Amino acid sequence: MFYREVGEFKTSYPHDSGSFSIRLDKYGYYFILFIAFVVIPLMINDYWASAVLVPFLVWAIASLGLNILTGHCGQISLGTGGFMAVGAYSCYKLMTSFPDLNVIFCIILSGLITAGVGILFGIPSLRIKGFYLAVATLASQFFLVWLFNRFPWFYNYSASGQISTPERSVFGILVTGPNVDPWAQYMICLLFAFGLAWGCRNLTRGSLGRKWMATRDMDIAAEIIGVNLLHAKLSAFAISSFYIGIAGALFFSVYLGAVEATEAFGINQSFLVLFMIIIGGLGSILGSFIGAAFMVLFPVLLKNILVGWWEWDAAIATHLEFISVGILIIVFLIFEPHGLAQLWRLLKQKLRLWPYPH
Amino acid sequence: MVKENKSENALLIVNNIEVIYNRVILVLKGVSLSLPKRGVVALLGGNGAGKTTTLKAISNLLRSERGEVTKGTITYQGDLVQDLTPAELVRRGVIQVMEGRHCFEHLTIEENLLTGAFTRKEKNSDIKSDLEKVYEYFPKLKERRKSQAGYTSGGEQQMCAIGRALMSKPETILLDEPSMGLAPQLVEEIFEIVKDLNQKEKVSFLLAEQNTNMALKYSNYGYILESGRIVMDGPSKDLRENPDIKEFYLGMSEAGRKSFRHTRSYRRRKRWLG
Amino acid sequence: MQTLLFALEVSINGFMTGILYALVALGFVLIFKASGVFNYAQGVMVLFAALTLVGLQQGIVPFEHLINNLLGTSIHGFGWNMPTLLALLLTLLSMLLLAWLVERLILKHLVNQNPVILFMATIGLAYFLEGFGDLMWGADVKKLDIGIPVGISDTVEQATHEWFGYGFFIDRLDITASIVAALLVIGLTIFSQFSKTGRALRAVADDHQAALSVGISLRRIWVIVWSIAGLVALIAGIFWGTKSGVQFSLSLVALKALPVLMLGGLTSIPGAIVGGLLIGVGEKLFDFMIGSMIGGATENWFAYVVALVFLLFRPQGLFGEKIIERV
Amino acid sequence: LPWLSYRTGPYSAGGIPTADGFVDYFTLLNERDGGIGGELVKIIECETGYNTQKGVECYEATKGEGSLVYVPLSTGITYQLIPKVSVDQIPLQTMGYGRTSAKDGSIFEWVFNFPANYWDGASVAIKHVLDENGGDISGKKIALVYHNSAYGKEPIKTLEKLSEKHGYELTLIPVDHPGLEQKSQWLEIRRGQMDYVLMWGWGIMNSVAIQEAANIRFPMENFIGIWWSGSENDVIPAAERAHNYKSLTFHGVGTDFPLYDDLKTYLHDKGIGSGDGTSIGTVLYNTGIYNAAILAGAIRKAQEIHGVSDITPAMMRDGLENLVVTDEIMASWGLPGFAPPFEVSCENHGGDGLAMVKQWDAQAKEWNLITELISSDKEVINPLIMEDSTQYAAENNITPRC
Amino acid sequence: MEQVELANKNDIVMDIVNVTLRFGGVKALSHVSFNIKRGEIRAIIGPNGAGKSSMLNVINGFYTPQEGEIWFEGKRRPRLKPHQIAYQRIARTFQNIALFEGMTVLDNMMTGRMIYMKSGLLSQLAWWGKAEREETENRLVVEKIIDFLEIQAIRKTPVGVLPYGLQKRVELGRALAAEPLLLLLDEPMAGMNNEEKEDMCRFILDVNEELGTTIALIEHDMGVVMDLADRVVVIDHGEKIADGQPDEVRNDQNVIDAYLGVSH
Ligand SMILES: Nc1ncnc2c1ncn2[C@@H]1O[C@H](COP(=O)(O)OP(=O)(O)OP(=O)(O)O)[C@@H](O)[C@H]1O
Ligand SMILES: Nc1ncnc2c1ncn2[C@@H]1O[C@H](COP(=O)(O)OP(=O)(O)OP(=O)(O)O)[C@@H](O)[C@H]1O
Ligand SMILES: [Mg+2]
Ligand SMILES: [Mg+2]
């Protein structure tokens, strides 16, 4: 038995509802944090930062956000790209209008602004459900992107409609702009990702989280029990958009540095995030991270193998990438519809019973 | 051997099956039973004993719930049927009435009933006359024939599910908790229908029931299932006389029927097996 | 008066475009109605059908790039021009094969799963087909010509010129498409509303398990609807392909079909057509009348916003089945 | 030499021939001449699918491999890379796309966008219209149909300025990606009775636009596309109806150049050409060839300046900055008269902004050049460039170099 | 004990006056009036499709009747949303189990205490201060109910995989978690065998006697109804056909014809 919970006794309720009720989990978790906060910043280089780790963290934040809305509250949304755009453009406007404002605040404020927009577009969810809602959220996707593209005020009347991030630093360390060190870029995303994941964990184990899940599982019963559906759904939209807004702000200011609404926040991004949470596991925080890692890393990996090692034609490799991502999605769903996180849980359950099969 | 004798005229034989859900949860741990031709067999047991699972194993609906039969065999009329699709089984005359009123919500009651005849290739007029027969059994359904099933009451849905199964002209019906949620009068009617079909149309029944009293009254053989194992079986008459059954399943003590109001202390059930 | 005529012309054109949208939307409706699956891959199926048709017609060797790359050969086409009819037939066959494979390899394993999961699976399928189609037939633009007349219809122009003193420009392709779409919708409506299989389709959409239990073979039903959806995709592919050439972007027509779908209701075949018409006419008129005032390019979002607002009043779309809420 | 190609995605149709041309040219140099100055050129093709994020990934992945110069092939990716390359000190060359104000080499030290940019393009198109109308187009109605993105919006400012100067009426008509449906836009053009239509399109939008133009019987000779809206892909779906459609170009058309004979003998006859050979001589293939030829020229220049054959990105930059392309040099590349001569300098990274107009002959299925080189209206464009680059310099604290 | 005393006062918790409910052409309830007294167990019986569940839905606001009034705690109730009614401490269970399938037993029951949770967003986000305190307090109450219903072992199990009977028990637990004044039970014993019914009856009686909770109960098992109920109302085809003590009702000819059949 490598993995066990026997022999561990909880003496209080707070302890029992703690994040990691099994000791082994806790140590594994500390170990990962150690790697993430100490080891990686020491070893990181430009390629790893901007091709792998930073996008991974940014997408993980976006997945956390969407997971709150879709995984916990059960409202499928395809407006993620649009909300990320709100985050990015708010961040840009804040950074350029208030050059002295610390960029951390800019990012958080962008999250709040996005939350507001999220509430606005969440209102229809009170009446519209399921796939109808999913398609309806596309309205926000298209409308928001159009808006940012249309009104030059949003991009400070720049000739091309692109926005690009000015250089800003936190505690004297540059975090945005082209001269930023990879570790700083990584660290700021990591801090946000960690803080937000922790907040997400807290929210979802508390009463708000239960409200969302109740709404997801059976909204009528939830209402009869005393859940105000209006409040539950709108709060899910708000908080989810807050996360996604922050992801958008980081995406723009830290990761890419220059974006254009139509290209960077198109509908593909909305789908990408949806993939992440479904592959990772709906309603699971771990799943958001696994899903993001998978969707970011897999194409890079495949490309490096096919083009880098086997020297295949780049175009063929990309086609194969599409094919294999498609196949993998299907295989995962067939094998475990509840995502990679559930697979992990089942594995733990097996280990718990090990060496007995049942 | 008793078993062998039974299998002579047995229609359906379940031999020592094991069922696992999600590749980890072992639910049935070796269940064997047999349903004779024209028999009415009751499958009794507490909640979670595995009655539904057994029925689903027979009708092959398990796979769609991520469950599988990992051991043992199921034969119907001498053929192994484990690998048939549910549709093929229906064509062979085995149909299940699922627990919990699975009606097609958006279809009207009448359309629901008609889907029951999906596998039949007969003329429309035959099907029409069967439809009338079902309406005769359940006049309430006729009243509501044009309503969407999703909006009908619990009991009406239950009737609809049973009626739908009858529409396929089955030889064997696997009935899962038919009496659940039905008014007493109707419960009796349902069992009368069972008896009727059994005697007049030679339909065999495998009944999973909680209403032990009724089930034992209308069946000729019974199995008691506890935690995935058959713990007792015998002709219904005998089971009705068994003191344990009387106490735990029929709520009767030596002194006759006990009032629910007076079961003061919690009695832990005495288990037959571990 | 002039404006009115213009508006009328725009509406008629919108009407025709709407029908083209509806052709794509129909594929979605069919599959949703029959299995509760929201088939995201419908758009890519349109592309795939069109690609296959062109590929066969022009005698492109499947996977030629891959083969050349791996084996170092340089194969470039069979060098034939397949008769259109044969190519159509073979494409249809391959769509049927696709339906069969989808059932075999994907749906079969996902019986009784949450609709979201099935939806995701179709997204996986979309990814796969996208890569596969391009790998098989090449990613360059191909011209699709199966002899459908294109260009402005002179007859219409002359006729309207005589009546109004102003000639309407209407594409002959659109006229053909409208006729085909109308026939298709009539046929499909009859099939789904009045046949036994049609009823079974609706049953499957409601409850997989119960459908299984009454002996409906889910797998057969699925193959049937996916085949029909494949046929619809082929037809849509022909028209859209003729209109704009066959290449990757063709799969994006799906995005135009979604609001149509919502407006008409996910489960209604006539709804797809009515929705298509409303959206087609609406977005064209809006862009034409108001769009230029607020900066144009409103078509992408207008349809969605209209559908959204509409759904607020009727959450199941125009003709969709009411969502049953009971405890 | 990294090459950020896009042979997949919505714009693959344009990306494939360009990539083929580019790759073929260098393969030819390697095969025929044994590389440049004795150094074999290695092309690292990296697939972006026209997607910015993948572009960044490609950049980061390849910059460690001794990349001399980046050719991002996408305006979006260019914007992404401009700040990065100046930090990493690798030149970026964007031919006929990207950030126009990068022409100001004093501020954009590492970016080169010769021989012409979008603003030049806009101006050349208007000049062509002027020429056709005997120099007076006041009161004419000109519409700009553009891809609703950074790329498509580039010419707007120039066109607005020019309309002040020439007195024409400009109507802006955006088309959203992907542009499968443009009925209302074209009916609007019909209603507005536009005299000329300019188009900044890309991908499927081009071919749909040309078909729709034909549908409203818009006179094709009054329809002028930018160089990215003028490939065979765009006109072929409309067949004969695209006859007389015009588009700008800054390089020659067809295969009537000595280089193509070499391409045939050294590559395609040996079966080592990229692609299936059908794209040779198409507009975008030529673009690829031209782009490659210029880079090869710059490499030679760099080798010449620094006297080494194995050059670094910084040397490459010098090569680019001192690049002089004359007609003789073009001829020595096997491309006589293929493109205008130009000279790069510290102030001017953008060439002279010369372009020609070509017209589609649907019967012969070929493009014909119909004008001489037209030069853009520097009076209008240069101040605009100054304005934009100074703003950029201010935002990023850059002091002009020269 | 205070509540028991109140019960003795025989005052009326809820008065349903002349309620009519129609769905298009279907008349689910027509002019039904009855009352529920404090502390009693009030059974509602009737044939299938009579309108019993609809009655409960009217009481907790899910359906709005076309006619009629509902008086609760001596006040006429205005039109309210279901969740507002939940805050008046009316809780219920459902005929077709309506548990939150993706959540554990514990979470389901904690959801039942929704109406007592008031901590703010920030506190919850940080899991600090009020949120954490509140969680522990409410958890204590829920744990008591878990002990009472003897479902300690399945606390952390997702409810979706539980057998039917246990799900019903959890659902009862969820309703109890709200510490309701009025508890509505819709066929709590359907699908149970005798022994389990006995357990369930025990729970219901205990809740009623020890906590003084008023209960309205729909049930088809006449044994249960006759043994538990203080008063019974019978509905048939949406109309009230009888109302009174169990014994009276049992011998009412109308009731026998419409519902019980001969054998009872
Ligand atoms: N899909 C499933 N996944 C996992 N476990 C399941 C599943 N379905 C049933 N089980 C488990 O299998 C056991 C037997 O369930 P089953 O439904 O067969 O019992 P039953 O005898 O029909 O009970 P009831 O009288 O409540 O209907 C239960 O413990 C249940 O938790
Ligand atoms: N939302 C609704 N729309 C239409 N008809 C409805 C609706 N809800 C209930 N009905 C109808 O009202 C009648 C009463 O239904 P209700 O569910 O109250 O019955 P019930 O007494 O609970 O029966 P059962 O014992 O079978 O559960 C039924 O005929 C039902 O079809
Ligand atoms: Mg059961
Ligand atoms: Mg009821």
Side-chain angles (χ1 to χ4, degrees), chain E residues 30-182:
Chain E
S30 62
H31 307 288
V32 176
S33 308
F34 64 95
N35 57 29
I36 303 172
K37 287 183 190 155
R38 191 176 302 280
E40 76 171 343
I41 297 180
R42 185 71 146 126
I44 305 173
I45 61 172
N48 295 112
K52 306 179 295 296
S53 302
S54 302
M55 192 68 237
L56 292 198
N57 282 334
V58 167
I59 294 179
N60 64 19
F62 186 63
Y63 288 159
T64 317
Q66 277 80 13
E67 282 172 44
E69 316 179 333
I70 288 172
W71 292 70
F72 182 61
E73 296 280 9
K75 285 194 276 293
R76 188 178 161 198
R77 193 170 78 186
R79 200 181 154 170
L80 293 175
K81 290 256 164 59
H83 69 262
Q84 293 169 314
I85 288 173
Y87 276 84
Q88 302 187 334
R89 293 173 62 193
I90 298 179
R92 74 172 281 188
T93 67
F94 302 88
Q95 181 169 11
N96 289 325
I97 296 177
L99 283 171
F100 307 125
E101 293 210 353
M103 297 159 75
T104 60
V105 170
L106 190 64
D107 276 339
N108 263 282
M109 296 180 62
M110 289 292 278
T111 315
R113 290 200 65 75
M114 192 56 69
I115 56 175
Y116 298 103
M117 306 271 225
K118 295 189 175 61
S119 63
L121 178 65
L122 282 181
S123 167
Q124 286 194 37
L125 199 62
W127 199 251
W128 196 67
K130 191 161 181 185
E132 196 184 4
R133 248 190 345 265
E134 203 176 68
E135 194 75 13
T136 319
E137 285 162 15
N138 286 304
R139 175 80 187 267
L140 275 171
V141 180
V142 166
E143 286 292 342
K144 266 194 204 128
I145 295 167
I146 288 181
D147 281 348
F148 169 64
L149 295 176
E150 299 177 6
I151 47 179
Q152 299 91 333
I154 53 164
R155 219 188 252 132
K156 294 269 169 91
T157 321
V159 290
V161 300
L162 291 178
Y164 191 81
L166 273 180
Q167 291 197 10
K168 287 240 146 183
R169 209 185 281 189
V170 175
E171 210 186 10
L172 177 65
R174 186 179 67 185
L176 288 180
E179 299 182 63
L181 291 174
L182 175 59

Side-chain angles (χ1 to χ4, degrees), chain C residues 6 9-10 13 17 21 76 139 141 143 151-152 154 157 166-167 169 171 174 243-244 247-249 252-253 284 287-288 292 295 297 299-300, chain D residues 7 9-10 12-13 16 148 174 176-178 180-181 183-185 187-188 190-191 204 207-208 211-212 214-217 233 236-237 241 276:
Chain C
F6 270 124
E9 184 184 20
V10 170
N13 271 292
T17 317
Y21 293 160
H76 299 299
V141 184
K143 180 171 165 48
I152 309 157
D154 294 330
E157 195 198 344
Y166 171 78
F169 286 174
D171 199 328
D174 291 350
K243 195 174 152 88
S244 48
Q247 56 146 303
F248 175 86
S249 301
L252 300 175
V253 295
K284 292 283 171 306
D287 201 55
F288 186 72
S292 46
E299 278 180 36
N300 269 357
Chain D
R7 288 166 184 269
S12 56
I16 294 170
N148 198 5
D176 263 338
H177 165 85
L180 277 167
E181 243 306 306
K183 276 226 166 70
S184 57
Q185 282 90 346
L187 287 173
E188 194 181 330
R190 182 184 181 207
R191 175 173 67 160
I204 202 164
S207 54
V208 174
Q211 298 209 47
E212 290 295 348
N215 271 354
I216 63 159
R217 302 233 173 92
N233 290 330
I236 283 177
R241 300 191 295 154
D276 55 9

Side-chain angles (χ1 to χ4, degrees), chain B residues 153-155, chain C residues 326-327, chain E residues 48-49 51-54 95 186-187 218 220:
Chain B
S153 84
Chain C
R326 270 214 62 176
V327 278
Chain E
N48 295 112
K52 306 179 295 296
S53 302
S54 302
Q95 181 169 11
D186 198 346
E187 302 193 18
I218 298 178
H220 284 301

Side-chain angles (χ1 to χ4, degrees), chain A residues 70-113:
Chain A
T70 304
H72 285 103
C73 197
Q75 313 294 307
I76 308 173
S77 160
L78 290 174
T80 318
F83 293 130
M84 282 178 78
V86 177
Y89 277 76
S90 324
C91 188
Y92 174 68
K93 283 308 279 187
L94 288 167
M95 281 168 92
T96 49
S97 315
F98 309 99
D100 298 328
L101 192 64
N102 190 317
V103 59
I104 302 270
F105 288 113
C106 288
I107 293 174
I108 293 176
L109 277 176
S110 327
L112 290 176
I113 294 173

